[in-house]
Amino acid sequence: MMGSKPRVLVFSLAYLPFMGGAGFAIKETTDRLGGDFEFDLITYRFDSSWSRQERVGNINIYRVGRGKDTKEYYGRPAAKTLYVLQAAWLAHKLNRQNHYSLAWGMMAAYAGMAALFFKWLNPRVPFLLTLQEGDPEEHILKRVGPYYPLWKKIFRRADFVQAISNYLADFGRRHGAKCPIEVVPNGVDVSIFTQEYVLEDLQKLRASLGIAPQDKVVITTSRLVPKNAVDILIKAIALVRKTTPNVKCLILGIGKDEEMLKNLARDSGLEREIMFPGNILHKEMPKYLKISDVFVRASRSEGLGNSFFEAMAAGLPIIGTNVGGIPDFLRDGETGLFVKVEDEKDLAEKILLLLRDEPLRQKLIRQGKEVAVRDYSWDIVAERMAEIFNNLAQQKTG
């Protein structure tokens, strides 16, 4: 209808109240673009208590599948496969009444496959594919297995690919994308992560965690899964404490490796020194960053890494590996420090360097924060996504 807002149909396997970084990117983008676009989203109903349809923020959410509990997200590939078929069919029916301007598939996995099937049923609707993949490419291909020819069609039938890093842009090209590809990263909510806190409140948080005034704190925020290499961090902290015993470590997040990592900390004699506060609310996370001295994410693989931007904006020096999308923003000795993959000794040395070299630490804090605020604000990201949405919507009507 002339004069109406473009209507975007979003496919995402996981979304509120249970989601990861990809879902968070959808939320941050749509929160800022509700005045210019209408958004409908089809996701999986992991829990039977969740509503089949509701409006949250600027998105009309539709959930398919019966669902029992959130463990299905990790343990039931058959349910995820069923999501592809159910989501594509529901989208096809919704398109008859809503006449979507474009379909947005989040990641070249189950949601991307659902968007592909929808594209086959509705070829006139432009298909935007977002690449947010963080797992190693070999792991992705192993999971795809004999379905690779079908999976490859996700890339080939996309009308536009948005990748969150240069690494993922190349990934898309390698697997068949012939359409335009643009790198638009994830971002950070600058207003939240640059905020300052009353010193007394920070002191109370430290005390509640058993952190003494003289203690130095190394922090990581991530899902507790193999790719994020939290085990390497724990081993590095054990080495650091041999020469600097007043160092403690905060590990924020949950995941399937949680029990293994807690056992590793205990077996290393660090049960009290390495703390697992659990799944901290996003709005509370800046406070934990503010009581810390160094941020570490020694990733084995990484699509980009929102947690780095949050730490940089909060004023922490960062340490990361030279993998995936991390080199897009981490310049060694300028905005952070690189560490070798799978090398706890190298990581320990880099942590000690930042705890002992205050001029270097301040340099990385200053330049890292500048990059995070200037280049990775969600407001900037949303503007770039709006331009992509509008260009694709015009393709349908043009």
Side-chain angles (χ1 to χ4, degrees):
M1 183 180 296
M2 294 298 293
S4 63
K5 299 178 185 177
R7 198 172 191 108
V8 180
L9 173 63
V10 189
F11 295 89
S12 181
L13 179 65
Y15 198 65
L16 289 170
F18 177 71
M19 65 180 186
F24 190 75
I26 293 171
K27 182 180 184 302
E28 291 292 333
T29 301
T30 58
D31 280 351
R32 290 163 173 77
L33 299 182
D36 300 314
F37 302 89
E38 297 284 350
F39 295 97
D40 294 345
L41 180 145
I42 303 177
T43 186
Y44 186 68
R45 189 169 176 242
F46 290 108
D47 193 311
S48 58
S49 68
W50 297 356
S51 299
R52 289 195 175 276
Q53 184 177 345
E54 64 178 325
R55 185 171 179 86
V56 179
N58 293 323
I59 301 181
N60 299 308
I61 300 175
Y62 297 85
R63 296 188 179 93
V64 298
R66 291 182 297 175
K68 292 183 179 179
D69 57 58
T70 52
K71 292 179 182 178
E72 292 189 14
Y73 183 78
Y74 297 106
R76 291 193 59 192
K80 300 178 192 177
T81 301
L82 189 60
Y83 160 80
V84 172
L85 302 176
Q86 293 175 318
W89 185 244
L90 174 59
H92 180 59
K93 293 193 292 183
L94 289 173
N95 187 51
R96 292 174 180 172
Q97 64 188 48
N98 294 331
H99 307 292
Y100 291 110
S101 301
L102 68 137
W104 180 16
M106 182 55 69
M107 300 175 63
Y110 296 97
M113 188 64 70
L116 171 66
F117 286 6
F118 172 79
K119 176 70 174 179
W120 282 339
L121 294 169
N122 302 272
R124 290 190 63 250
V125 180
F127 169 22
L128 166 64
L129 173 65
T130 286
L131 297 179
Q132 289 256 357
E133 280 71 3
D135 290 333
E137 186 169 354
E138 59 270 24
H139 290 187
I140 294 173
L141 296 178
K142 184 177 179 180
R143 288 199 302 267
V144 171
Y147 299 101
Y148 180 78
L150 176 61
W151 178 76
K152 189 175 181 179
K153 292 184 184 297
I154 299 174
F155 300 91
R156 296 191 68 87
R157 288 305 303 270
D159 295 291
F160 197 98
V161 171
Q162 173 242 336
I164 62 171
S165 65
N166 287 292
Y167 163 76
L168 286 173
D170 291 338
F171 172 83
R173 295 185 188 99
R174 282 196 300 274
H175 296 290
K178 303 298 182 185
C179 62
I181 298 179
E182 183 173 346
V183 176
V184 181
N186 285 339
V188 58
D189 191 326
V190 172
S191 64
I192 292 178
F193 283 89
T194 59
Q195 66 182 305
E196 297 297 333
Y197 292 89
V198 176
L199 180 60
E200 184 181 357
D201 290 341
L202 297 179
Q203 291 172 337
K204 286 181 179 178
L205 178 58
R206 285 176 67 99
S208 71
L209 293 167
I211 301 172
Q214 70 274 16
D215 287 339
K216 298 295 183 180
V217 179
V218 177
I219 189 170
T220 191
T221 60
S222 69
R223 288 184 299 129
L224 306 185
V225 295
K227 84 171 193 70
N228 291 329
V230 180
D231 56 318
I232 299 298
L233 173 59
I234 292 173
K235 294 174 183 178
I237 294 297
L239 295 175
V240 167
R241 284 182 56 83
K242 288 181 178 181
T243 59
T244 312
N246 66 324
V247 173
K248 293 190 174 179
C249 182
L250 285 173
I251 297 173
L252 274 59
I254 58 175
K256 63 181 182 179
D257 283 357
E258 183 172 352
E259 184 176 354
M260 178 274 289
L261 294 169
K262 288 181 176 179
N263 289 337
L264 177 60
R266 184 177 61 251
D267 294 344
S268 302
L270 300 174
E271 191 169 9
R272 294 185 178 182
E273 287 72 25
I274 296 181
M275 293 156 279
F276 294 82
N279 193 29
I280 303 301
L281 291 175
H282 198 249
K283 64 181 180 180
E284 295 295 323
M285 201 172 292
K287 191 178 294 185
Y288 286 81
L289 292 169
K290 291 288 185 180
I291 66 169
S292 303
D293 298 281
V294 177
F295 176 88
V296 171
R297 191 153 168 178
S299 311
R300 293 180 170 100
S301 66
E302 195 71 68
L304 186 63
N306 290 42
S307 295
F308 286 103
F309 305 145
E310 294 167 352
M312 292 159 74
L316 282 183
I318 63 170
I319 299 175
T321 49
N322 191 2
V323 300
I326 296 175
D328 282 11
F329 58 86
L330 200 165
R331 299 189 301 278
D332 193 39
E334 299 294 329
T335 60
L337 295 179
F338 277 133
V339 65
K340 298 174 185 175
V341 179
E342 303 279 5
D343 192 333
E344 60 266 25
K345 183 179 179 181
D346 189 34
L347 178 55
E349 291 173 354
K350 296 296 170 58
I351 291 172
L352 286 169
L353 176 61
L354 289 181
L355 294 178
R356 294 170 178 173
D357 190 336
E358 189 61 20
L360 173 62
R361 180 181 132 80
Q362 290 301 324
K363 173 187 174 182
L364 300 186
I365 288 173
R366 182 178 64 255
Q367 297 184 172
K369 188 171 186 176
E370 179 182 343
V371 167
V373 172
R374 183 191 65 214
D375 299 335
Y376 293 97
S377 164
W378 275 119
D379 293 337
I380 296 172
V381 172
E383 288 179 6
R384 295 182 64 186
M385 291 302 297
E387 184 176 353
I388 292 172
F389 292 160
N390 279 320
N391 287 341
L392 286 173
Q394 291 171 9
Q395 285 184 22
K396 181 180 179 182
T397 58

